[in-house]
Amino acid sequence: MSGVNVKSEIKPLKKVLLHRPGKELLNLTPNTLEELLFDDIPFLKVAQEEHDAFAQALRDNGVEVFYLEDLMAEVLEGNPELREKFLKQWIEEAGIRTERYQKIIFDYMQQNYPDAKDFVLKTMEGINLAELHTDKSNSLVDLVSESSKMVVKPMPNLYFTRDPFAMIGNGVSINRMYSETRNRETIYGEYIFAHHPLLKGTPQYYSRYSAFHIEGGDILNINEHVLAIGISQRTEPDAIDEIAHNIFNDPTSPIDTILAFNIPNSRAFMHLDTVFTQIDVDKFTIHPGIMGPLTVFEITPEGSGIKVREMNDTLESILEKYVGRPVELIPCGGGDRIAAEREQWNDGSNTLCIAPGKIVVYERNDVTNKVLRDKGLDLIIVPSAELSRGRGGPRCMSMPIERED
């Protein structure tokens, strides 16, 4: 079966897209952490073991796992004429402006990575100057640059597949991301959604070439008719206006309401899914800092445009109205301030629901996990000592492709 179907955060998960952390993590250094949006350097070997355990836990629960690197490699294998076009675009988006280096990198990639999967992984890993074996006497830049300089920077955030593209009903948003570092990641989505047999033909509600930022962590499918989007550090209101127009103008989309949550602009509230995630028909995990009054904008279609109405209420009241039943909000850390701060830092409220009441959580958040277990939830606990260093939880690391209706 091809196409996508994601009209909920909790209905049984059937297909999911992941990226196994690769050598891109080896190209993180203390000096580049801030630029590459990391707070620490994960140990790759252990991060891969943890990620493999995460993928296996999904398979053990009936979820078919697809890998971003495999889908992109299959696109290039099935459409060999695209390889040169993709490579030239990748070089340009990496910021390589001089004709000399464009040719050097193009030739290097073509000659050294004939295998499509190796080629794709290398585009994710990045290239340092020492790999290129250039004649330094021909370039002042080469002579004054350290041999370890990254000519093409890595994409270490790729294992958070939630953000570059987000499934919305039967369509997709291919996002323009907040940072230049992450915006390059969406190039794979451009090719996969245009050419891969599993995903081509999917309606596209947002383009990576749009002017405004939006990221998948800010997009939550409340139900078939209601979509929630965070106005956050990473998602601009202009982007929400644009995506609302595109969704409402698609006659096949049943979505008739978009809720724009105005959340604090900070690292702690990076995306809407760090503020709350749905884990059962009537339960949500939440960041304790979001318990006060909220400003939420209800966006509905009006003619060929949109109508926006401001609401000021508690998260609980707003969710109850649009979920259609009383809801229970379960704070990260169970209300203990220190535990909440510590476990929120390690994504204690960023859970992946694979069926109502059945959720994937990080092992290290033991206080929050006990609270969830005491509430009757079925926990699938995965190791997380290294994965959590990227500041993203199980929801961040997964992009559902299909859920049961």
Side-chain angles (χ1 to χ4, degrees), residues 16 65 119 178 197 225 248 301 365:
V16 70
V65 173
F119 173 82
Y178 169 74
H225 295 283
F248 295 151
N365 296 314

Side-chain angles (χ1 to χ4, degrees), residues 211-321:
F212 306 106
H213 307 127
I214 188 169
E215 298 194 358
D218 278 315
I219 299 174
L220 280 72
N221 293 277
I222 300 298
N223 54 45
E224 187 176 11
H225 295 283
V226 181
L227 186 72
I229 307 180
I231 306 168
S232 71
Q233 182 190 56
R234 307 283 177 92
T235 294
E236 297 175 285
D238 313 74
I240 301 175
D241 268 355
E242 184 174 331
I243 202 170
H245 278 93
N246 293 339
I247 290 171
F248 295 151
N249 287 328
D250 176 8
T252 68
S253 173
I255 295 170
D256 53 32
T257 304
I258 294 175
L259 303 176
F261 284 77
N262 196 10
I263 61 177
N265 187 337
S266 74
R267 180 92 164 128
F269 298 90
M270 186 192 311
H271 290 130
L272 189 61
D273 68 2
T274 65
V275 173
F276 69 87
T277 53
Q278 190 171 5
I279 55 177
D280 203 346
V281 292
D282 61 350
K283 293 182 179 66
F284 291 78
T285 57
I286 65 161
H287 188 307
I290 208 71
M291 293 293 283
L294 278 176
T295 300
V296 179
F297 300 91
E298 179 194 66
I299 306 170
T300 52
E302 186 171 68
S304 59
I306 61 173
K307 180 180 180 181
V308 183
R309 181 172 70 93
E310 181 176 336
M311 301 180 290
N312 292 281
D313 209 336
T314 64
L315 179 61
E316 184 177 17
S317 296
I318 289 166
L319 290 175
E320 285 182 350
K321 176 180 178 181

Side-chain angles (χ1 to χ4, degrees), residues 194-207:
H195 300 286
H196 196 282
L198 180 70
L199 296 170
K200 70 180 179 181
T202 302
Q204 296 188 14
Y205 296 136
Y206 205 77
S207 166

